[in-house]
Amino acid sequence: MQYSEKVMDHFMNPRNVGIIENADGIGQVGNPQCGDIMKIYLKIEESIIIDAKFKTFGCGAAVATSSMATELVKGRTIEEALKVTNAAVAEALDGLPPIKMHCSILAEEAVKAAIDSYKEKNGLLVEKCDNNACGKNCCNIHHLEKFK
Amino acid sequence: MQYSEKVMDHFMNPRNVGIIENADGIGQVGNPQCGDIMKIYLKIEESIIIDAKFKTFGCGAAVATSSMATELVKGRTIEEALKVTNAAVAEALDGLPPIKMHCSILAEEAVKAAIDSYKEKNGLLVEKCDNNACGKNCCNIHHLEKFK
Amino acid sequence: MNNRFIYLDHAATTAMRPEVFEAMQPYFIEKYGNPSSIYSLARDGKKAIEESRDKVAGVLGGRSDEIFFTGSGTEADNWAIKGVAYANKFKGNHIITTSIEHHAVLNTCQYLESDGFEVTYLPVDENGLVTPEQVEKAIKPNTILISIMFANNEIGTIQPISEIGKLARERGIYFHTDAVQAVGNVPINVADMNIDLLSLSGHKFYGPKGIGSLYIRKGVKITSLLHGGSQERGRRASTENVSAIVGLGKAIELATRNIEEQSKKLIALRDRTIEEVMRKIPYVKLNGHMMQRLPGNVNFAFEFIEGESVLLMLDMKGIAASTGSACTSGSLDPSHILLAIGVSPELANGSLRLTFGEENTQEDVDYLLEVLPAIVERLREMSPLYEGVEGGNKSYAV
Amino acid sequence: MNNRFIYLDHAATTAMRPEVFEAMQPYFIEKYGNPSSIYSLARDGKKAIEESRDKVAGVLGGRSDEIFFTGSGTEADNWAIKGVAYANKFKGNHIITTSIEHHAVLNTCQYLESDGFEVTYLPVDENGLVTPEQVEKAIKPNTILISIMFANNEIGTIQPISEIGKLARERGIYFHTDAVQAVGNVPINVADMNIDLLSLSGHKFYGPKGIGSLYIRKGVKITSLLHGGSQERGRRASTENVSAIVGLGKAIELATRNIEEQSKKLIALRDRTIEEVMRKIPYVKLNGHMMQRLPGNVNFAFEFIEGESVLLMLDMKGIAASTGSACTSGSLDPSHILLAIGVSPELANGSLRLTFGEENTQEDVDYLLEVLPAIVERLREMSPLYEGVEGGNKSYAV
Ligand SMILES: Cc1ncc(COP(=O)(O)O)c(C=O)c1O
Ligand SMILES: Cc1ncc(COP(=O)(O)O)c(C=O)c1O
């Protein structure tokens, strides 16, 4: 395992660890059997993410991608935040080892899930995802062939 | 291949190389396909081997065993010489590597063949060997299972 | 950053002893001759190989002509199992092993399954033990080989090898043991223990990497794995790796010279670590057997956190350790060994293996005990699974 | 005894270059971490392995992810042939090779024959060459693999690899070449030459013993030979032999840096030796091709004398050489290679192989030319086959 310095920095000094009381959106993806759980809390005012926090159970990359994802979405509109891809998270960390790319997907999905929960609470959710592989189910992500 | 010092001495400074003109007995065993030919010349007077010489085509052990065999039979009666076994030749050389033991057999057989030729010439040969494996045929010796 | 460096991963590999390196050195540049050659340059190498073979034979209680050098422990395992399987397939096609073998054995057995062999993977109890009775029950008329590891690489559990050897011998079934983790740590005698084949690997006992050995009892029917030249009496081809063979010989000699004393020392480090960690850190489980355990092996499962994170933080503190889980092996699945002893997948993800070796001291344990609790606490603080646990909600699923 | 030492057996093995040893040294004791581990200690080793892989790929003209490290050239050969055979057995069971391969290929093929494969051993001409036409004619609908050595280890003959590669590729048949003797001596490019698999061995080009490599073109279907851990991207298990891998990378880099210049130098030594020996010594035959020949390879057959005796006498004069015959290999049969090029068994017994390497000089050749004729003469004087030959009776059976 060769992590970039950026990954190690975000692992050893993670930004935005913690919880937000009365968060506007909370998203949790992954499960402990797969070895990673990410829980992201968002504070949203007028469609702008004014604060983001996370708690993560997982490997170094899982912590670092959570940290980076929260950094990347803070201050953005939810529409902008929805466009933060896993690739963008990985890139912002100067890359991830191939077998750790799934962590960046998890981070992307955790942000989406948190925004979804915000939208749902506020009656904004138009389309429902009924595809099991869309990221609600960690084990599907983990075993996507392209990350093997 | 690890030869004893004695073998190397008898190889580098072989005793009794050469031919005896008008020899009383000449024995040749082996064949070039097998990689060894030994030819032994004996000068015999009143059943005593008063001189022995050899020519050998073969490996270090073949030369050394020829050298040693001629040394061991010189001055002996033919009856005594017939009792010089391959083991005795090998022992006198401080041993031979297992895959080279066949050379000592060849030396024993070359002496026997030379004495046979002497006996035959002098009408002394009582029993004839009609067993192909008795040493007249090199290839049988070389492939004796116990030396593999 | 931290200047301290403490290596607690001796089960993964060990640093070569300086004496081993010194023994090897002449064979790199100076005495480089091919040992199969006849000229003087080659002679020393050839002699050195045979001396090394004698040492290995002496340590294992076998004969020198029963010792064969291989390119690794993995090769020894592959050779033993495939070699016996293919040489005896007309006698039978059933192999017995355990579910906690190293992948060098497991994957070889799985390969053989794809080629028509039948393999029984015996389950183990919560401590990682198989019983001779289990083995006995699994034997069928077509059983040709029993392969059971001497000691486990993750949890350190030592199997009842003598008893299994005895019952295998009584039934005329070949018995192989992967002793890669055991050699140099626990006494072994292939004759007393009725072992037919035994694998070992140099770099696990302060010897070189890329060299192993397979003990093959005289008379065992086995085909070659590497075909080619007539090295190793025609059974394992390839130009002899003289320096590594010499190094292995030296290393096994040194590792077994004071094995009891060394073992006592390691047990002291191990037992104090176990005791203190369990006292200082809540929600932790010791994996493996309490007594039947390699002297230097400790394996914990910490709840609510994931193993790689612990390793990375330990590394930042100058401690090298490993986990039975995912990340080290390039696979994302939790350890098959921990699952086999009944650890839940979530808990298996939180495992930490500490394996002590000859240079470790009680000061190292002091330091470990100083930093580990804080690391575990810090990661738990970050874990969504730990939220509210302190308030009594003990565990999610142990 | 003699203080001079001249090594003329570079085809058997070579002394490690000091630079190679230096490159390896840190990985014996200092940077001993298991490259699969995640802590810092392991990182250097892992990086060094990948750098070495890049070097090998660069030299061969392949991609880094097509290079796999093995424990030897023999392992690479075994893996290539068995691996392709078993992975493609449902496509076909026919393999084409030559009668002059190294035993690592020949014995592997023979093993496969015992397991239901069909092998064609192509004959060679008197110079040791196979033609692409022969290969083409031997191809059958069930042919899955062609394995033809790049250059021969005894007689140095270089095969028309590009042409064979081309026709194999056109027909979708895998092409393996044992390049153990060629790497570092002649330029190789796996892409240009349409090579699918290529074996090499570190100790033949001033690198360490006990390390080799197999090039496997992306997409080639091949099963593993060593099953176990997920090293080498899951294809070749076992803890990486870091120091040896680093050494191999360094060695291949150095051996191929000035390959043309070095080759010219060796050819000069070779050709002068051939010319002068044939001029000075009667009743001698050059084995192998005059032009399509490894730069450093000389192979003579002397009539009336036996090879081992020549070697021993050369050794006493401080010259290390080898013979294609019997004694070196632990077998008593004459070289299968010499027999295949039509040398009679008796003459094959009198062969002498001299293989030059980087440290040899024209002075070495001077010395050889000084001592060799006398040795040959001396042994002929001792040989019963030579009796009376000088008087015109030229030869017994060439
Ligand atoms: C129990 C066990 N068997 C086999 C092996 C394989 O040994 P190596 O990696 O030296 O091939 C190892 C270590 O990796 C091991 O711990
Ligand atoms: C042509 C050829 N192939 C394969 C080998 C086997 O290589 P190693 O002995 O390094 O396994 C050799 C040398 O011994 C060789 O010359």
Side-chain angles (χ1 to χ4, degrees):
Chain A
M1 195 60 46
Q2 190 97 0
Y3 285 137
S4 69
E5 276 176 37
K6 206 84 165 262
V7 172
M8 283 309 292
D9 177 38
H10 275 263
F11 170 68
M12 290 304 290
N13 312 295
R15 314 340 180 221
N16 314 312
V17 179
I19 62 175
I20 296 175
E21 303 285 347
N22 304 318
D24 299 301
I26 300 179
Q28 176 169 326
V29 295
N31 80 40
Q33 274 179 275
C34 306
D36 304 284
I37 298 179
M38 286 186 199
K39 191 168 182 182
I40 285 186
Y41 300 80
L42 299 178
K43 186 94 206 144
I44 298 173
E45 276 180 16
E46 294 178 14
S47 286
I48 293 172
I49 298 172
I50 59 165
D51 198 9
K53 292 221 181 283
F54 78 92
K55 284 228 174 176
T56 288
F57 160 89
C59 62
V63 173
T65 52
S66 313
S67 166
M68 181 54 83
T70 52
E71 282 288 275
L72 288 180
V73 300
K74 269 208 296 193
R76 306 251 178 151
T77 64
I78 58 175
E79 291 319 310
E80 284 166 351
L82 285 171
K83 287 183 191 133
V84 173
T85 60
N86 79 299
V89 174
E91 212 183 294
L93 288 166
D94 294 342
L96 285 173
I99 66 160
K100 294 296 185 181
M101 281 303 287
H102 71 279
C103 292
S104 64
I105 303 205
L106 226 48
E108 176 188 333
E109 300 295 342
V111 168
K112 293 211 166 115
I115 292 174
D116 275 1
S117 91
Y118 162 77
K119 285 189 174 170
E120 202 161 23
K121 241 196 290 185
N122 294 278
L124 299 171
L125 204 58
V126 211
E127 3 159 14
K128 269 254 180 201
C129 171
D130 51 14
N131 173 358
N132 250 339
C134 81
K136 298 287 163 36
N137 187 327
C138 138
C139 281
N140 288 332
I141 295 168
H142 276 69
H143 301 101
L144 282 178
E145 268 315 307
K146 62 170 168 159
F147 297 110
K148 283 253 160 153
Chain B
M1 193 62 48
Q2 190 97 2
Y3 286 136
S4 69
E5 276 177 38
K6 206 86 165 258
V7 171
M8 282 309 292
D9 177 37
H10 275 263
F11 170 67
M12 291 304 289
N13 312 296
R15 308 352 173 216
N16 314 311
V17 179
I19 61 174
I20 296 175
E21 303 285 348
N22 304 319
D24 298 302
I26 301 180
Q28 176 170 325
V29 295
N31 81 41
Q33 275 180 275
C34 306
D36 303 283
I37 298 179
M38 286 185 200
K39 191 167 182 182
I40 285 186
Y41 300 81
L42 300 178
K43 185 94 206 143
I44 299 172
E45 278 181 16
E46 293 176 16
S47 287
I48 292 173
I49 298 171
I50 58 165
D51 199 9
K53 295 228 180 278
F54 78 91
K55 286 231 174 173
T56 287
F57 159 89
C59 62
V63 173
T65 52
S66 312
S67 167
M68 182 53 85
T70 50
E71 282 287 277
L72 289 179
V73 300
K74 269 209 297 194
R76 307 251 178 151
T77 64
I78 58 175
E79 291 318 311
E80 284 166 351
L82 284 172
K83 286 183 192 136
V84 173
T85 61
N86 79 299
V89 174
E91 212 183 295
L93 287 166
D94 293 343
L96 284 173
I99 66 160
K100 294 297 185 181
M101 281 304 287
H102 71 282
C103 292
S104 63
I105 302 202
L106 225 48
E108 176 188 332
E109 300 295 342
V111 169
K112 292 210 169 115
I115 293 173
D116 275 2
S117 91
Y118 163 78
K119 284 188 179 171
E120 202 162 22
K121 242 196 290 188
N122 294 278
L124 299 171
L125 203 58
V126 211
E127 5 161 12
K128 269 253 178 199
C129 172
D130 50 15
N131 174 357
N132 250 339
C134 80
K136 297 288 163 35
N137 187 328
C138 138
C139 282
N140 288 332
I141 295 168
H142 276 70
H143 300 101
L144 281 179
E145 268 316 306
K146 62 171 169 161
F147 296 111
K148 283 253 160 155
Chain C
M1 275 287 286
N2 189 290
N3 289 323
R4 200 142 182 174
F5 178 68
I6 298 176
Y7 187 70
L8 298 181
D9 201 15
H10 292 82
T13 195
T14 55
M16 221 151 75
R17 285 182 211 258
E19 303 98 298
V20 171
F21 181 69
E22 270 159 42
M24 293 169 71
Q25 190 146 19
Y27 299 96
F28 288 119
I29 299 193
E30 207 183 312
K31 303 181 180 178
Y32 59 91
N34 186 322
S36 299
S37 307
I38 75 163
Y39 37 76
S40 347
L41 176 66
R43 236 162 263 163
D44 282 345
K46 193 157 189 173
K47 203 160 143 248
I49 289 174
E50 297 315 317
E51 282 169 10
S52 188
R53 203 187 303 283
D54 294 345
K55 283 180 190 168
V56 177
V59 164
L60 298 181
R63 290 165 30 175
S64 295
D65 63 356
E66 298 175 320
I67 304 297
F68 298 85
F69 293 110
T70 65
S72 63
T74 298
E75 188 191 321
D77 281 340
N78 274 257
W79 183 13
I81 296 170
K82 292 181 200 162
V84 166
Y86 288 118
N88 298 279
K89 67 178 170 189
F90 299 108
K91 258 176 64 190
N93 71 337
H94 180 236
I95 297 169
I96 298 171
T97 186
T98 77
S99 54
I100 61 163
E101 297 296 314
H102 189 270
H103 282 115
V105 169
L106 275 190
N107 291 355
T108 300
C109 287
Q110 271 156 27
Y111 172 77
L112 287 176
E113 281 188 287
S114 77
D115 200 27
F117 288 86
E118 183 195 340
V119 181
T120 299
Y121 301 91
L122 293 174
V124 294
D125 70 12
E126 63 194 19
N127 298 313
L129 278 176
V130 280
T131 62
E133 294 70 42
Q134 276 178 284
V135 176
E136 191 169 3
K137 269 200 205 137
I139 293 174
K140 305 203 277 184
N142 60 335
T143 305
I144 51 175
L145 175 67
I146 298 169
S147 177
I148 291 179
M149 72 197 314
F150 207 110
N152 186 270
N153 46 309
E154 285 189 23
I155 57 174
T157 302
I158 298 171
Q159 303 297 342
I161 293 301
S162 286
E163 290 83 343
I164 298 168
K166 186 158 173 284
L167 72 86
R169 183 67 52 87
E170 282 165 4
R171 284 158 188 77
I173 298 168
Y174 290 137
F175 175 44
H176 167 249
T177 186
D178 173 350
V180 167
Q181 290 289 337
V183 170
N185 285 312
V186 288
I188 296 177
N189 187 298
V190 289
D192 296 352
M193 294 176 164
N194 289 307
I195 294 167
D196 294 308
L197 304 112
L198 179 144
S199 312
L200 58 87
S201 182
H203 70 100
K204 303 286 187 184
F205 46 83
Y206 315 100
K209 294 184 174 61
I211 186 79
S213 179
L214 182 63
Y215 163 83
I216 307 176
R217 192 169 60 79
K218 196 92 189 168
V220 168
K221 263 189 80 185
I222 183 166
T223 60
S224 290
L225 182 67
L226 295 192
H227 296 89
S230 52
Q231 293 91 351
E232 297 293 287
R233 278 150 292 139
R235 291 191 147 184
R236 198 273 181 183
S238 194
T239 304
E240 294 91 339
N241 189 352
V242 188
S243 62
I245 290 172
V246 168
L248 186 144
K250 189 78 193 169
I252 205 169
E253 181 182 28
L254 296 173
T256 52
R257 210 173 28 185
N258 303 318
I259 194 163
E260 277 171 38
E261 207 173 298
Q262 178 66 10
S263 169
K264 257 188 217 141
K265 190 198 106 172
L266 293 180
I267 287 176
L269 299 175
R270 175 191 82 184
D271 289 352
R272 180 163 157 244
T273 304
I274 293 175
E275 212 168 289
E276 292 287 305
V277 166
M278 311 255 324
R279 202 172 58 74
K280 290 189 169 196
I281 304 180
Y283 310 129
V284 57
K285 173 185 180 310
L286 176 72
N287 297 317
H289 197 279
M290 287 293 280
M291 309 302 299
Q292 297 291 95
R293 183 178 202 107
L294 283 174
N297 175 288
V298 175
N299 190 313
F300 295 118
F302 294 105
E303 289 185 50
F304 319 122
I305 59 176
E306 193 272 348
E308 193 207 86
S309 295
V310 181
L311 293 193
L312 288 172
M313 291 207 168
L314 282 172
D315 187 34
M316 297 308 279
K317 293 283 182 190
I319 297 177
S322 98
T323 154
S325 103
C327 314
T328 45
S329 67
S331 129
L332 295 166
D333 305 321
S335 151
H336 67 283
I337 294 167
L338 296 181
L339 298 182
I341 60 171
V343 176
S344 68
E346 32 280 62
L347 194 52
N349 279 320
S351 71
L352 173 69
R353 181 184 72 178
L354 305 165
T355 44
F356 294 98
E358 54 147 11
E359 80 285 4
N360 292 130
T361 61
Q362 288 287 359
E363 286 70 49
D364 294 346
V365 177
D366 293 344
Y367 180 67
L368 173 76
L369 293 172
E370 197 183 307
V371 303
L372 184 59
I375 288 173
V376 171
E377 186 53 25
R378 186 161 170 215
L379 287 168
R380 283 181 176 168
E381 292 293 339
M382 223 186 272
S383 170
L385 301 171
Y386 194 59
E387 286 176 15
V389 168
E390 284 148 307
N393 169 10
K394 196 175 169 305
S395 150
Y396 52 89
V398 182
Chain D
M1 276 287 287
N2 189 290
N3 288 323
R4 198 142 183 174
F5 178 68
I6 299 176
Y7 186 68
L8 298 181
D9 201 14
H10 292 82
T13 194
T14 55
M16 221 150 74
R17 283 182 213 257
E19 303 98 298
V20 171
F21 181 70
E22 269 159 42
M24 293 168 71
Q25 191 146 18
Y27 300 96
F28 288 121
I29 299 193
E30 208 184 311
K31 303 180 179 179
Y32 59 91
N34 187 321
S36 299
S37 307
I38 74 162
Y39 38 74
S40 347
L41 175 67
R43 236 162 264 164
D44 282 346
K46 191 157 191 176
K47 202 159 143 250
I49 289 174
E50 296 316 316
E51 282 168 10
S52 188
R53 203 186 303 283
D54 294 345
K55 284 180 190 170
V56 177
V59 163
L60 297 181
R63 290 165 30 177
S64 295
D65 64 355
E66 298 176 320
I67 304 297
F68 298 85
F69 293 110
T70 64
S72 63
T74 298
E75 188 192 322
D77 282 340
N78 274 257
W79 183 13
I81 296 171
K82 291 181 200 162
V84 166
Y86 288 119
N88 298 279
K89 67 178 170 190
F90 300 108
K91 258 177 62 189
N93 71 337
H94 180 235
I95 297 169
I96 298 172
T97 187
T98 77
S99 53
I100 62 162
E101 299 295 313
H102 189 269
H103 281 116
V105 169
L106 275 190
N107 290 355
T108 300
C109 287
Q110 271 155 28
Y111 171 76
L112 287 176
E113 281 187 287
S114 77
D115 200 27
F117 288 86
E118 183 194 339
V119 181
T120 299
Y121 301 91
L122 293 174
V124 294
D125 71 10
E126 63 194 18
N127 297 314
L129 278 175
V130 280
T131 63
E133 293 70 44
Q134 276 179 285
V135 176
E136 193 170 1
K137 269 198 205 139
I139 292 172
K140 305 203 275 182
N142 59 336
T143 304
I144 50 174
L145 175 68
I146 298 170
S147 177
I148 291 178
M149 72 198 314
F150 208 109
N152 185 271
N153 46 309
E154 284 188 22
I155 57 174
T157 302
I158 299 171
Q159 302 298 342
I161 293 300
S162 287
E163 290 83 343
I164 297 168
K166 186 158 173 284
L167 72 87
R169 183 67 53 84
E170 283 165 4
R171 283 157 187 78
I173 298 167
Y174 290 137
F175 176 44
H176 167 249
T177 186
D178 173 350
V180 167
Q181 290 290 337
V183 170
N185 285 312
V186 289
I188 297 178
N189 187 299
V190 289
D192 296 350
M193 294 176 164
N194 289 306
I195 293 167
D196 295 308
L197 304 112
L198 180 145
S199 314
L200 57 86
S201 181
H203 70 100
K204 304 287 187 183
F205 45 84
Y206 315 99
K209 294 184 174 62
I211 186 79
S213 179
L214 182 63
Y215 162 83
I216 306 176
R217 192 170 60 79
K218 196 92 189 169
V220 168
K221 264 189 80 187
I222 182 166
T223 60
S224 291
L225 183 66
L226 294 192
H227 296 89
S230 51
Q231 293 91 350
E232 298 292 288
R233 278 149 291 139
R235 291 190 147 185
R236 198 272 183 183
S238 193
T239 304
E240 294 91 339
N241 189 352
V242 189
S243 63
I245 290 173
V246 168
L248 185 143
K250 189 78 192 167
I252 205 169
E253 181 182 30
L254 296 174
T256 52
R257 210 172 28 183
N258 303 317
I259 194 164
E260 277 170 39
E261 206 173 299
Q262 178 66 10
S263 170
K264 257 187 219 142
K265 190 197 105 172
L266 293 180
I267 288 176
L269 299 175
R270 174 191 82 183
D271 288 353
R272 180 164 159 243
T273 305
I274 293 175
E275 212 168 290
E276 292 287 305
V277 165
M278 313 257 320
R279 202 173 58 76
K280 291 189 169 198
I281 304 179
Y283 311 129
V284 57
K285 173 185 182 308
L286 177 72
N287 297 316
H289 197 279
M290 285 294 280
M291 310 302 300
Q292 298 291 95
R293 182 179 201 105
L294 283 173
N297 175 287
V298 175
N299 190 312
F300 294 118
F302 295 105
E303 291 185 47
F304 319 123
I305 59 176
E306 193 272 348
E308 192 207 86
S309 296
V310 181
L311 293 192
L312 288 172
M313 290 207 170
L314 282 172
D315 187 34
M316 297 307 280
K317 294 283 183 190
I319 297 176
S322 97
T323 155
S325 103
C327 314
T328 45
S329 67
S331 127
L332 295 167
D333 305 320
S335 150
H336 68 283
I337 295 166
L338 296 181
L339 298 182
I341 61 171
V343 175
S344 68
E346 33 284 58
L347 194 51
N349 279 319
S351 72
L352 174 69
R353 180 184 72 179
L354 305 165
T355 45
F356 293 99
E358 56 148 11
E359 81 285 4
N360 292 130
T361 61
Q362 288 287 359
E363 285 71 50
D364 294 347
V365 177
D366 294 343
Y367 180 67
L368 174 75
L369 294 172
E370 197 183 308
V371 303
L372 184 59
I375 288 173
V376 171
E377 187 54 25
R378 187 165 168 212
L379 288 167
R380 284 181 175 167
E381 292 294 340
M382 224 187 269
S383 169
L385 301 170
Y386 195 58
E387 285 176 15
V389 168
E390 284 148 305
N393 169 12
K394 198 176 168 304
S395 150
Y396 52 93
V398 182

